[in-house]
Amino acid sequence: MLKLLKNLIKEPMFVIGVFLFLTTVFAGLLGPSLYTPQPRSEFGYEAPLAPRGIEVDLSKNTITHWVVHRGDTLYAKETIKKDSLGNMLNNTALAKYWIGTDNLGQDYVALLLRGLQNSLYVGLLAGVIATTIGTLVGLFAGFKGGIIDDILNMFTNLFIVIPSFVVLVLVSTSFPQGRSLTLIAVLIGFTTWPWTARSVRAQAASLRGRDHISLARINGASNLQIIFKHILPYLASYVFMVFIMQVASGILSESAISMIGLGPLGEGATSLGVILNTAKNQSAITDGLWWGIFPAAIVITVIVFALYLLNNSMEGVFNPRLRK
Amino acid sequence: MAHILEVKDLSLHYLTRFGQKIHAVTDVSFTMKQGEILGVAGESGCGKSTLVNGLMGLFIPPLYPTSGDVLVNGESLMNRSPKDIRENVLSQKVSMIPQGAFNALNPTRKIKDIAADVIAAHSGNKNINKRQIYDRLRERFDLFGMETEHILNSYPIQLTAGERQRSVIGISTLLNPKVVIADEPTSALDVTTQKVVVKMIFDLLEKNIFSTMIFITHELPLLRHVSHNIGIMYAGEFVEYGTTVQVVHDPRHPYTRALMGAMLSADSEQKNRKPTTIEGAPPSLAKKIEGCRFAERCPSARPECRLKTQGLRMVGERLVRCDYAE
């Protein structure tokens, strides 16, 4: 175990992947509670880092009033003489949004952190469900063989043939009142397991005839014992890598169905995909308001990229033939 | 209770996906007394390993029993649930030493854990203490004259081929089975290791860990040293069954003779003898075979052989499946 870890740490791809992934996970877990969002702006889609509010410069006896517009002109400034307004404006705060605001004027940083947390939750739950179902189905089909294999295989193929995206869309539309994050995650998990099942089945079937399985069998081990004590440990590294891929694809699937407006719905169910969807709906893309789209897209890309890096580097270490 | 193992007209078949039956073992009968060692020899694909599964009552699809019966200690193994067989027969009554020790141990577990599973699975007592199990293991492995601690605490990959095969034998005989079936225990081992393994088997016999054994191999010279009786298998049937001396030194069935002729030997007087080969291949077992199964390859076959099914008959005090053997 320790040696495996040492080998993994030698892999630069693994280190980068772990770093990126842990960064996103920590940001998602702790971000929403640590970061205090800027007060809400009265303007939608305020540009990033644009100064806003009223700045009073007592030394020059000037008051600068930043006016923010959406879209074309980002902000304008007027300078007003002090005496015309008096001293009461002295305390006005100056708010700057690091990556702008959304259509309702909410601070994007806070939204993104919340969205990251929710997206990770959906991805992880979908990954756990898909990996568990897929692994169990694959193990039993591959190990049992015969008619059980045929039936489970047919079942798996059925799920592969039905485009899972269409199922996701159909099921999502049948819950118009509200779709919780968990519901979306479960839907994704239940539609993406067949690929796991297939690959695990192939591996388990190749193990079935191995001598150590026969030894366990002739010494009176039951089928369940053989599957969980002799086959699953053999496939553990493989299943783990499959799990990582399932998490990545879960996050992507969630963004995809949220993007077309069928994602989580309701109070606090802001995922990265939902942010993208809102931006699209408010024509942020056509108006050239890049900060409505890019931050969320980049965060999704970074998580998925980190997971792919992890998976790739682990394959290199777990599979001795690919070892350099 | 005269016989510890009684096999009555045992026939086994494989059922393929397309409903085709492959009759891998046909009408095998023999009995074994306590303390007897039976050698079974034959070429690859003659049904030896299928017979082993049948003798353990281990019918895993696509293998099914066709007819006949196997009695261990007077108790039939037929028509019993897999669970019953697993809990009451395997390891305790009939155990097997598998071939290819190289792969017979799960590489992800330590020897002691693999062995502990066997004891735990059959102890009947679910809360048996791990320490008790390990103590029992140590006691047993000490008997073998091996470095007990080293072997028990190693992963299979850390052991030599000989150590592995001996561990496998140790694990298979943990529960003092009544009958042990050794399925080519020495194949894929070099000569010195083979000797160590055979010595260990004899050691166990001497120490009364088990007394009755079926030794399956295709190495006839080894059988000569090990077994009391020998059965020669061809295409799923016993073609000759007699004592070791009879079968090895005075074979009567044409197949046994050809098999002896095909053997290489290190004897100096055999130096100039060229080993003969048996032309052709065994018949397909998917179809019903008319006449003698060996007829196609038999050097002394007559036209009648292809028509008339041969039965076992007494020739020179042993059973031979050939009407024309003398």
Side-chain angles (χ1 to χ4, degrees):
Chain A
M1 209 54 203
L2 247 150
K3 207 166 176 192
L4 202 67
L5 215 65
K6 262 186 207 159
N7 274 334
L8 278 172
I9 287 172
K10 272 188 221 151
E11 199 85 11
M13 280 212 304
F14 178 79
V15 178
I16 297 171
V18 166
F19 175 73
L20 284 178
F21 184 64
L22 287 185
T23 314
T24 52
V25 166
F26 278 124
L29 281 180
L30 307 175
S33 46
L34 288 186
Y35 179 78
T36 4
Q38 295 281 1
R40 201 173 141 178
S41 157
E42 58 220 273
F43 306 101
Y45 286 119
E46 200 169 305
L49 293 176
R52 71 176 284 284
I54 295 163
E55 196 174 23
V56 182
D57 192 339
L58 292 171
S59 60
K60 287 185 192 158
N61 267 358
T62 58
I63 300 170
T64 312
H65 181 199
W66 305 91
V67 184
V68 181
H69 295 287
R70 178 188 162 181
D72 41 11
T73 323
L74 299 184
Y75 55 89
K77 99 183 161 177
E78 322 168 32
T79 312
I80 305 161
K81 291 263 180 286
K82 180 193 172 191
D83 47 27
S84 68
L85 277 165
N87 292 323
M88 53 200 201
L89 294 170
N90 272 353
N91 299 329
T92 329
L94 181 87
K96 272 184 184 174
Y97 300 96
W98 288 104
I99 39 181
T101 67
D102 73 345
N103 60 321
L104 301 173
Q106 295 176 73
D107 186 358
Y108 246 134
V109 178
L111 269 178
L112 272 182
L113 289 173
R114 176 68 64 191
L116 178 63
Q117 184 180 43
N118 290 339
S119 279
L120 281 173
Y121 167 74
V122 171
L124 208 67
L125 187 58
V128 168
I129 292 172
T131 312
T132 312
I133 300 178
T135 306
L136 287 180
V137 169
L139 278 177
F140 275 93
F143 175 72
K144 284 282 197 172
I147 187 117
I148 293 176
D149 185 20
D150 287 348
I151 292 171
L152 287 176
N153 235 344
M154 195 182 72
F155 199 61
T156 312
N157 285 341
L158 218 66
F159 266 84
I160 287 179
V161 169
I162 301 169
S164 57
F165 196 72
V166 174
V167 174
L168 276 178
V169 169
L170 286 177
V171 181
S172 293
T173 47
S174 55
F175 291 95
Q177 279 79 33
R179 299 180 288 266
S180 68
L181 290 161
T182 311
L183 175 75
I184 296 294
V186 169
L187 281 182
I188 294 172
F190 272 98
T191 49
T192 51
W193 62 266
W195 292 108
T196 314
R198 270 214 152 171
S199 41
V200 170
R201 189 204 88 89
Q203 302 266 341
S206 80
L207 283 176
R208 181 177 53 188
R210 294 273 175 95
D211 291 330
H212 71 265
I213 306 293
S214 334
L215 182 75
R217 211 200 297 266
I218 59 181
N219 281 326
S222 67
N223 284 336
L224 274 182
Q225 279 174 330
I226 293 180
I227 287 177
F228 290 111
K229 275 190 176 167
H230 298 275
I231 292 186
L232 194 55
Y234 223 92
L235 301 182
S237 64
Y238 186 77
V239 170
F240 186 63
M241 288 195 294
V242 166
F243 169 67
I244 291 179
M245 295 317 287
Q246 289 283 18
V247 172
S249 84
I251 292 172
L252 282 178
S253 300
E254 188 276 327
S255 320
I257 56 167
S258 296
M259 186 78 186
I260 58 167
L262 295 167
L265 199 71
E267 196 64 32
T270 315
S271 71
L272 293 172
V274 170
I275 295 177
L276 290 175
N277 177 247
T278 321
K280 189 198 66 159
N281 288 347
Q282 301 296 325
S283 54
I285 303 170
T286 42
D287 288 357
L289 309 173
W290 55 267
W291 59 90
I293 299 286
F294 279 128
I298 288 171
V299 172
I300 293 175
T301 314
V302 167
I303 309 173
V304 177
F305 177 63
L307 289 170
Y308 271 68
L309 271 185
L310 275 181
N311 184 62
N312 244 343
S313 55
M314 277 183 186
E315 197 176 356
V317 172
F318 288 153
N319 187 348
R321 279 191 207 141
L322 294 176
R323 238 177 251 164
K324 280 171 207 130
Chain B
M1 192 206 75
H3 301 298
I4 195 142
L5 180 72
E6 218 173 329
V7 182
K8 290 182 195 162
D9 298 326
L10 184 68
S11 296
L12 306 167
H13 69 266
Y14 289 101
L15 194 63
T16 66
R17 230 158 228 263
F18 312 106
Q20 198 182 25
K21 278 185 182 177
I22 313 274
H23 298 275
V25 171
T26 321
D27 288 339
V28 169
S29 305
F30 61 88
T31 55
M32 286 178 79
K33 291 195 193 79
Q34 172 97 36
E36 187 182 326
I37 299 175
L38 169 71
V40 176
E43 63 194 284
S44 306
C46 73
K48 291 176 302 211
S49 298
T50 310
L51 179 65
V52 170
N53 283 329
L55 295 182
M56 291 192 294
L58 200 62
F59 299 111
I60 299 159
L63 176 65
Y64 298 95
T66 319
S67 59
D69 203 354
V70 179
L71 303 164
V72 179
N73 249 351
E75 201 181 308
S76 172
L77 299 187
M78 295 291 148
N79 301 321
R80 288 170 70 167
S81 74
K83 189 166 183 273
D84 185 21
I85 294 279
R86 207 162 58 221
E87 284 173 1
N88 301 319
V89 177
L90 296 176
S91 284
Q92 287 169 310
K93 300 226 165 83
V94 189
S95 182
M96 177 180 144
I97 300 169
Q99 56 184 331
F102 218 70
N103 301 315
L105 295 162
N106 186 343
T108 60
R109 321 191 66 210
K110 285 181 180 175
I111 303 288
K112 62 175 178 186
D113 292 324
I114 300 174
D117 274 356
V118 179
I119 294 181
H122 294 280
S123 67
N125 162 12
K126 288 271 173 263
N127 349 303
I128 185 164
N129 196 331
K130 253 217 153 124
R131 174 165 289 171
Q132 283 172 300
I133 294 181
Y134 287 153
D135 283 345
R136 251 177 90 180
L137 281 179
R138 258 182 221 111
E139 212 174 289
R140 177 52 67 90
F141 273 66
D142 277 339
L143 266 183
F144 304 155
M146 300 198 282
E147 294 165 66
T148 311
E149 289 306 317
H150 161 64
I151 287 182
L152 284 179
N153 287 310
S154 293
Y155 285 98
I157 199 159
Q158 297 166 314
L159 301 175
T160 64
E163 282 170 329
R164 269 186 247 184
Q165 181 61 304
R166 286 191 288 164
S167 313
V168 170
I169 296 175
I171 291 167
S172 292
T173 55
L174 268 177
L175 304 170
N176 301 350
K178 302 250 183 294
V179 181
V180 169
I181 304 171
D183 188 3
E184 312 209 10
T186 59
S187 66
L189 292 176
D190 58 62
V191 188
T192 43
T193 319
Q194 274 186 23
K195 204 172 169 189
V196 173
V197 169
V198 172
K199 195 173 159 281
M200 175 171 175
I201 291 176
F202 276 110
D203 234 34
L204 293 176
L205 282 169
E206 223 167 78
K207 285 174 180 150
N208 253 330
I209 307 261
F210 63 94
S211 58
T212 315
M213 180 165 75
I214 300 178
F215 201 98
I216 293 188
T217 182
H218 48 234
E219 287 167 69
L220 282 162
L222 185 64
L223 273 192
R224 201 170 61 186
H225 293 294
V226 175
S227 59
H228 303 138
N229 291 325
I230 292 183
I232 304 287
M233 266 187 108
Y234 181 78
E237 293 178 326
F238 267 20
V239 291
E240 187 160 355
Y241 181 88
T243 65
T244 302
V245 180
Q246 287 168 344
V247 175
V248 173
H249 295 288
D250 182 23
R252 297 292 172 92
H253 192 282
Y255 177 65
T256 320
R257 287 190 177 170
L259 208 59
M260 297 298 162
M263 236 158 47
L264 293 169
S265 165
D267 283 355
S268 54
E269 56 192 78
Q270 299 243 344
K271 205 173 173 184
N272 297 321
R273 185 184 70 96
K274 274 192 186 146
T276 53
T277 55
I278 311 175
E279 294 293 329
S284 158
L285 298 171
K287 285 171 254 151
K288 195 164 174 10
I289 302 162
E290 295 290 335
C292 175
R293 296 189 173 196
F294 188 55
E296 293 300 324
R297 303 167 74 187
C298 183
S300 49
R302 307 169 190 203
E304 310 92 88
C305 289
R306 292 199 169 81
L307 301 172
K308 193 168 162 269
T309 305
Q310 314 279 311
L312 281 171
R313 68 190 182 96
M314 272 303 209
V315 179
E317 292 164 11
R318 94 288 305 269
L319 289 166
V320 175
R321 197 183 285 277
C322 178
D323 286 352
Y324 307 102
E326 282 141 22

